[in-house]
Amino acid sequence: MKKSYIRRKENVWLMIFVLPALMLFSIFVVYPFISGIHYSLYDWDGISPDKLYVGIENYKKLFRDKHFMSALWFTVKFTVLTVITQNFGALIVASLLDSTNRLKGFLRGVFFIPNVLSGVIVAFIWGFIFTKVLPAAGQQMGMELLERSWFSQSGTAFWSTIIVSFWLGTGYLTVIYLAGLSTVDANVVESAMLDGISPLQMLFRIKVPLILPSIIVGVFLITMNGLKQFEIVFLMTGGGPYRSTETLALLSYNTAYQKNNFGQAIAQAIIMFVLVAIVTTVQLAVLKGKEVES
């Protein structure tokens, strides 16, 4: 009885300490989400007190809307490519930095610098590079591919977003993977080197399985950022040309604030939430299974 009473008392105190955070989470996350589901069932401009109930019609319209399907396809392509390029790039850079003792701390800081810059500054820098620097260099070198502004064609505009995302995200992942590589047992590495293993085999067959928890974090973060991407495309391309670089987040923003259709915009946002939840849940389950196997 005494142990049971003590346990209940501890649980009460735990709930008291958790209650403020739970209240804030409910006010700023749970309530807006439930309200969003409610408003997605209406045809509403976001300002007028009059709302027309349309049920799930906003959701039905999405899958008949070519712009929504285009934004969905672009978001999926963008996410897949950023996950692959950033994680592989960060693994290689982290492995190179881990193999050297000189300037490791300095170079780690250099690679992390893009993450401390404002998104507006990043968009301005890269926008200037893609619209002024590269065309000028193309004219000087006679390279027709570089002579045009990268934002004038859908193909080059897409790759410009991938390049900027790679520049922003790789340094952050490099720091995470460097921390993981620092925990690898030196004896394991020395044994593999004595067996004549190549550097690439060392990285992908020995080190990667040993730092799988760090890789899970990296893949999860980049997947989340890719599916929710807004800042890069909004500031650099604005979703152009001809809405070819419009993500789901940007489409929802444009629907709400340009078309004044908040009901449909919230429906798009909820579909994006469901997509993020499904992808990340499946991804974590698969990667956790790989971690157990290794």
Side-chain angles (χ1 to χ4, degrees):
M1 287 291 294
K2 188 174 181 179
K3 289 183 178 180
S4 177
Y5 171 76
I6 293 173
R7 190 177 296 111
R8 285 199 301 270
K9 189 176 180 180
E10 288 177 348
N11 290 337
V12 169
W13 279 107
L14 287 173
M15 287 300 300
I16 290 174
F17 284 114
V18 169
L19 189 60
L22 187 61
M23 290 178 61
L24 290 173
F25 181 79
S26 300
I27 293 171
F28 294 105
V29 177
V30 176
Y31 175 72
F33 179 72
I34 295 174
S35 298
I37 294 176
H38 170 74
Y39 288 127
S40 71
L41 303 177
Y42 289 84
D43 183 6
W44 183 45
D45 62 5
I47 299 175
S48 171
D50 299 324
K51 300 187 293 290
L52 177 63
Y53 180 78
V54 295
I56 62 171
E57 189 62 30
N58 283 327
Y59 294 93
K60 289 181 179 179
K61 287 180 180 177
L62 294 182
F63 298 97
R64 299 194 298 265
D65 184 359
K66 65 177 182 179
H67 296 305
F68 175 79
M69 299 307 296
S70 175
L72 176 62
W73 174 235
F74 175 82
T75 303
V76 171
K77 286 193 302 179
F78 179 87
T79 302
V80 170
L81 278 173
T82 52
V83 168
I84 294 172
T85 55
Q86 290 183 38
N87 280 280
F88 272 96
L91 275 172
I92 293 171
V93 173
S95 179
L96 292 173
L97 292 179
D98 187 60
S99 63
T100 180
N101 292 323
R102 294 184 177 183
L103 301 176
K104 181 188 294 187
F106 172 75
L107 292 174
R108 180 167 50 189
V110 169
F111 281 107
F112 192 75
I113 283 176
N115 294 274
V116 302
L117 296 177
S118 166
V120 176
I121 295 174
V122 171
F124 175 79
I125 293 171
W126 281 99
F128 180 76
I129 291 172
F130 286 126
T131 58
K132 303 295 182 181
V133 176
L134 290 180
Q139 290 178 356
Q140 292 294 325
M141 295 184 293
M143 297 178 64
E144 186 178 350
L145 177 64
L146 299 178
E147 288 183 6
R148 300 177 182 177
S149 169
W150 280 48
F151 299 152
S152 63
Q153 297 180 357
S154 59
T156 51
F158 170 73
W159 284 108
S160 70
T161 61
I162 297 296
I163 291 170
V164 176
S165 181
F166 179 84
W167 185 75
L168 277 171
T170 303
Y172 186 77
L173 291 183
T174 298
V175 174
I176 294 176
Y177 293 158
L178 264 176
L181 290 171
S182 66
T183 65
V184 175
D185 190 347
N187 293 326
V188 175
V189 176
E190 290 177 4
S191 299
M193 291 176 64
L194 291 173
D195 289 337
I197 195 170
S198 68
L200 281 178
Q201 289 175 327
M202 174 73 77
L203 176 60
F204 292 106
R205 292 189 178 182
I206 304 297
K207 293 182 178 180
V208 165
L210 294 175
I211 63 167
L212 201 54
S214 298
I215 293 175
I216 291 173
V217 172
V219 171
F220 178 77
L221 287 175
I222 301 305
T223 302
M224 291 280 288
N225 290 338
L227 292 174
K228 300 186 300 180
Q229 181 55 240
F230 174 82
E231 190 175 42
I232 291 175
V233 292
F234 176 72
L235 293 171
M236 273 200 349
T237 68
Y242 310 111
R243 306 181 72 170
S244 61
T245 60
E246 193 172 46
T247 61
L248 287 176
L250 182 57
L251 174 66
S252 180
Y253 173 86
N254 289 335
T255 303
Y257 295 104
Q258 291 186 3
K259 295 184 178 180
N260 295 322
N261 192 340
F262 272 73
Q264 191 169 17
I266 295 171
Q268 292 166 351
I270 290 174
I271 293 296
M272 184 176 70
F273 168 80
V274 172
L275 175 64
V276 171
I278 292 173
V279 170
T280 52
T281 300
V282 172
Q283 189 180 67
L284 282 176
V286 171
L287 290 175
K288 282 291 184 182
K290 294 290 183 181
E291 184 181 1
V292 172
E293 291 176 5
S294 61

